[in-house]
Each structure stands twice: as C-alpha cells, then as structure tokens.
Amino acid sequence: MESSTGIAFLDFTDKDRQHLLEAYVYIRSSIPSVMNEFYRCLDLIGSGPQKFGVEPEILAVLQAEHWGHLFAGKFDRDYENAARRIAIRHYEIGLPHDLYTLSYMKLLTLFHEVIWKAPGIERAHARLMTEAVTKAIAIDMIHAVSPYSGDLV
C-alpha cells in the first residue's frame, strides 16, 4: 500500500501536517528520553535491542533520524523507501511482527505523553497534535508491516 492510500483513508490534511510539525517542536528534545523509556520497557520483557544484536546507542541515533523524517509529514517516495528499508531490517533481524506493532503503539503513547505534559499547550490544540501524530504513525506502519505481509512493492 502506498502512503497516499493511508493519507486519503485517514484524511491526513495540510492542517494535520502543520500540527505534526508543531508536535515535533515538543517531541524533538524528548526523543532521547522517549527512546530510553522505550528500551527500558523492551528490556522488561526480554526483548531489548541487544537481543537482536543491535546496540541501543546506535539504534537511538537511527530512531531519532527516522522520527525526524516522519514528523516532517512528507510521505513521498523517498520517505516510503527509507521506511521500507527500516522495516526490512527489522524483519531480517527477526523482530516478531507482534512486538513490532506493539513497539509502534508504545512509542505513540510516549509521544502523546510528551505533548500532553508540555507546559502551556491548550487541551484542544494538544488533541489536534496528538491526532496528527497518530495519523502519521499509522501511515508509517503501512510500510513497517510490508515485509511481514510480503508486500514489498
């Protein structure tokens, strides 16, 4: 499935793109702490990066780069190709599909938490930003699940 299908289905609009960029203002500086919490939770269930032969420090840098691309809200061919390469790598290292999906949900929750805890944001605006983040994560997941479904085209 192409990003354009997800964009149309989720009604990801220019306003959503704007709210996504605004959300990134708050999330960008929190990515290191978000990733630390994420890896801590993975370690709790015995599924930390080391289990898959990956160093958390290297992964944190790669994660920050990916989330920066996602929060730009430009779901073009370059973005799709990069997202699919990441998905293929997760598949190659043996990351189970269910854990990959749960990981997205955990990160989504952590990103929402950053927005809701940020000082000075009106609740209505926080809601718009979290909706945009949710839509963007869902669009990203189109590509994340592609190697697991055999849909790499």
Side-chain angles (χ1 to χ4, degrees), residues 3-46:
S3 294
S4 58
T5 305
I7 290 167
F9 181 73
L10 296 169
D11 192 28
F12 186 84
T13 65
D14 287 337
K15 278 286 205 198
D16 288 314
R17 188 169 286 105
Q18 177 185 337
H19 294 307
L20 189 62
L21 289 166
E22 292 169 0
Y24 192 51
V25 168
Y26 300 97
I27 290 171
R28 178 181 31 236
S29 63
S30 297
I31 285 182
S33 61
V34 164
M35 298 317 305
N36 286 340
E37 176 62 10
F38 174 64
Y39 298 140
R40 186 189 71 75
C41 292
L42 285 173
D43 286 338
L44 285 174
I45 61 168

Side-chain angles (χ1 to χ4, degrees), residues 81-149:
N81 289 336
R84 286 186 179 122
R85 279 192 302 276
I86 293 166
I88 290 166
R89 183 66 184 129
H90 283 96
Y91 183 78
E92 288 173 344
I93 65 170
L95 184 68
H97 182 258
D98 53 358
L99 182 57
Y100 200 17
T101 302
L102 283 174
S103 294
Y104 265 94
M105 295 302 96
K106 180 64 177 179
L107 286 165
L108 177 62
T109 301
L110 293 170
F111 289 148
H112 282 187
E113 189 175 295
V114 169
I115 293 167
W116 287 108
K117 287 183 175 180
I121 301 176
E122 294 180 17
R123 290 188 64 78
H125 194 71
R127 183 185 58 78
L128 293 172
M129 287 191 286
T130 58
E131 285 178 7
V133 170
T134 301
K135 289 178 182 182
I137 295 279
I139 292 165
D140 194 56
M141 287 184 71
I142 291 169
H143 310 294
V145 301
S146 63
Y148 295 91
S149 66

